[in-house]
Amino acid sequence: MVKASREFQVFAKPFGPICNLNCSYCYYLKKKQLYQKASSFIMSDNVLEEYIVQHIEASPGQVIRFSWHGGEPTLLGLSYFKKIVALQQKHQPPGFLITNGIQTNGTLLDEDWCRFFASEGFSVGLSLDGPREMHDKYRLTKDKKPTHQKVIRAYSLLRKHHVSTDILCVVNATNVSFPLEVYRFFKHVKARYISFLPLVERQPEAVGGVSSLSVTPEAWGRFLCTIFDEWTEKDIGQIKIQIFEEAARTAFNQEHSLCIFKPICGDIPIIEHNGDFYSCDHFVDADHYLGNIKEMPLKYLLESKAQNAFGKAKSADLPRYCRECSVRAMCNGGCPKDRFIKTSDGEEGLNYLCAGYRLFFAHCQPFVSMVATEWKRQGSKVNSIELSGL
């Protein structure tokens, strides 16, 4: 049986771009335009089962990971996800483990959802942009009602049922100016896993080439440095922050787990509601449509020349400024979607957030070097996941 040559993570969109919110900065709602003739955005039973079978068949390891995204996948209802689990169990090979993750805005979660997540071992990514006034500025319902209270209730229920939950905070032009307020709020609600996602909305006609909601590179760098200082002083071993964990990986000579910092990307493609395969969540467009799983199996789409070329272009197209950068190992040029500005000598392909990343990675380098030294001193007995006590 042909397997994928490397580990992969598919963002499956069982309800396409359909969502119950109308967040000001959402890039995926507009993907509905790709399917103007669609009568329904619900992934049919046939496509769903075919996808699950193909995903299992393509997975190269003993652990088979599914990731459910949107839009808002919980709009499909709990019964739909019970069907997903039943189909996975039906096709699960002996000796293999199947895991599930779901990304949600949390507004529809209740006791039944959280009991289900707990019993089936789901991990949850929960979108929360900080304190109420910051979150509710952009994350509103379609009739412009706030959502913060519902999300906090969802997080409380997830904690009550001991569901592994990662807070995903979009850092935008507003909350980027309040790093400690944002971070301390997450500490107040007892968050244990936090990912900060910088908002970069490309708008070529605007000053700076981005929308007014986007972070500036310098503000993004200061945001990370400020939180990093408090984290290293008070919270190592208590709170995991994804970008800090990624920086620490270089101390242990580990590969990055976050796609934007890998030297080669293309390991996180998209399956839309009808089985369409796209290269990446940020490249769901006609140029990056590679086929449909009903016509070409997932394992071949993953290994296709087009997908491999998409992944390798990240490294091949790095400008000289990046290749010679002292923190290249931590960054590797960042996400290709943000590589649209020029270097000081006019070369194309520099990441819009470069100045911010350079500021942060240079700031945390002494800590990373200390971790690497301690790791060697202790004979490799510590790792990037266990930094407490260093």
Side-chain angles (χ1 to χ4, degrees):
M1 182 183 295
V2 177
K3 299 281 188 180
S5 61
R6 62 192 187 281
E7 294 289 341
F8 62 87
Q9 180 184 10
V10 174
F11 283 179
K13 311 275 188 174
F15 206 12
I18 305 303
C19 188
N20 58 327
L21 303 190
N22 190 27
C23 301
S24 304
Y25 52 67
C26 183
Y27 63 91
Y28 211 80
L29 290 174
K30 65 186 70 173
K31 302 306 177 183
K32 190 174 180 180
Q33 298 171 4
L34 293 170
Y35 299 99
Q36 296 183 25
K37 296 181 180 179
S39 58
S40 172
F41 283 88
I42 299 174
M43 185 176 282
S44 69
D45 289 355
N46 289 338
V47 173
L48 177 64
E49 184 164 17
E50 187 62 37
Y51 164 60
I52 288 172
V53 169
Q54 291 189 23
H55 187 115
I56 290 172
E57 289 180 346
S59 296
Q62 295 292 111
V63 180
I64 303 169
R65 298 176 174 87
F66 286 85
S67 299
W68 307 99
H69 283 242
E72 177 48 47
T74 62
L75 282 170
L76 290 166
L78 184 53
S79 61
Y80 191 94
F81 278 83
K82 289 181 177 179
K83 176 171 58 180
I84 285 174
V85 171
L87 288 171
Q88 290 172 337
Q89 292 172 348
K90 174 183 175 182
H91 297 287
Q92 181 175 358
F96 284 70
L97 173 66
I98 290 179
T99 66
N100 286 282
I102 185 171
Q103 176 59 38
T104 177
N105 60 44
T107 59
L108 302 178
L109 298 188
D110 57 17
E111 293 275 1
D112 289 342
W113 270 109
C114 294
R115 274 193 291 267
F116 169 77
F117 290 151
S119 66
E120 298 300 337
F122 270 63
S123 58
V124 174
L126 183 68
S127 297
L128 179 60
D129 289 353
R132 177 184 56 78
E133 62 275 12
M134 298 181 198
H135 177 94
D136 284 342
K137 184 166 185 176
Y138 301 121
R139 298 192 63 81
L140 302 172
T141 64
K142 295 189 182 300
D143 54 357
K144 301 187 183 303
K145 292 182 179 178
T147 62
H148 190 264
Q149 185 176 358
K150 290 184 176 180
V151 181
I152 291 299
R153 178 178 180 273
Y155 186 58
S156 297
L157 289 172
L158 290 165
R159 290 189 66 244
K160 172 185 173 182
H161 290 276
H162 307 289
V163 177
S164 176
T165 304
D166 182 4
I167 298 292
L168 272 70
C169 173
V170 174
V171 183
N172 52 64
T174 297
N175 60 4
V176 74
S177 298
F178 304 95
L180 290 181
E181 289 87 340
V182 170
Y183 181 52
R184 288 171 182 171
F185 168 78
F186 290 139
K187 289 204 289 186
H188 175 71
V189 299
K190 302 188 186 311
R192 290 294 174 261
Y193 306 91
I194 307 170
S195 296
F196 292 115
L197 309 178
L199 177 61
V200 180
E201 284 187 325
R202 191 172 183 185
Q203 200 171 86
E205 68 278 7
V207 177
V210 297
S211 76
S212 61
L213 302 185
S214 303
V215 295
T216 64
E218 295 77 11
W220 169 236
R222 290 193 299 271
F223 178 91
L224 293 175
C225 291
T226 302
I227 294 176
F228 182 80
D229 288 345
E230 175 142 330
W231 177 79
T232 53
E233 181 182 348
K234 301 178 180 179
D235 303 314
I236 292 177
Q238 303 301 314
I239 299 174
K240 295 184 185 299
I241 299 178
Q242 188 179 44
I243 191 170
F244 301 169
E245 295 281 331
E246 289 297 319
R249 282 179 173 271
T250 60
F252 306 96
N253 297 315
Q254 294 176 339
E255 293 184 1
H256 285 293
S257 62
L258 185 60
C259 63
I260 65 172
F261 296 139
K262 291 182 177 182
I264 296 175
C265 60
D267 295 337
I268 309 182
I270 296 301
I271 297 291
E272 255 293 342
H273 68 288
N274 64 343
D276 284 348
F277 179 103
Y278 294 90
S279 293
C280 169
D281 195 42
H282 291 287
F283 292 87
V284 178
D285 53 44
D287 291 340
H288 296 89
Y289 167 75
L290 302 189
N292 188 289
I293 61 169
K294 293 179 291 185
E295 300 164 355
M296 181 179 292
L298 176 62
K299 55 192 173 186
Y300 295 118
L301 289 164
L302 288 165
E303 300 290 338
S304 66
K305 290 183 178 179
Q307 187 67 0
N308 282 323
F310 172 81
K312 291 177 180 178
K314 180 179 181 180
S315 179
D317 296 342
L318 269 183
R320 182 174 58 85
Y321 181 82
C322 293
R323 296 178 191 278
E324 298 174 355
C325 180
S326 61
V327 295
R328 176 184 172 180
M330 291 181 171
C331 175
N332 287 305
C335 183
K337 80 174 180 68
D338 297 331
R339 286 162 55 172
F340 55 81
I341 64 172
K342 295 181 180 180
T343 65
S344 57
D345 58 1
E347 192 174 1
E348 300 279 358
L350 184 65
N351 195 303
Y352 165 80
L353 293 170
C354 174
Y357 280 128
R358 281 176 64 91
L359 176 64
F360 168 65
F361 287 130
H363 183 77
C364 73
Q365 264 191 329
F367 171 82
V368 172
S369 296
M370 179 271 291
V371 169
T373 300
E374 185 68 14
W375 179 62
K376 293 174 182 177
R377 187 185 71 81
Q378 294 190 23
S380 307
K381 292 179 181 179
V382 296
N383 59 51
S384 62
I385 310 302
E386 299 169 342
L387 297 175
S388 59
L390 297 183

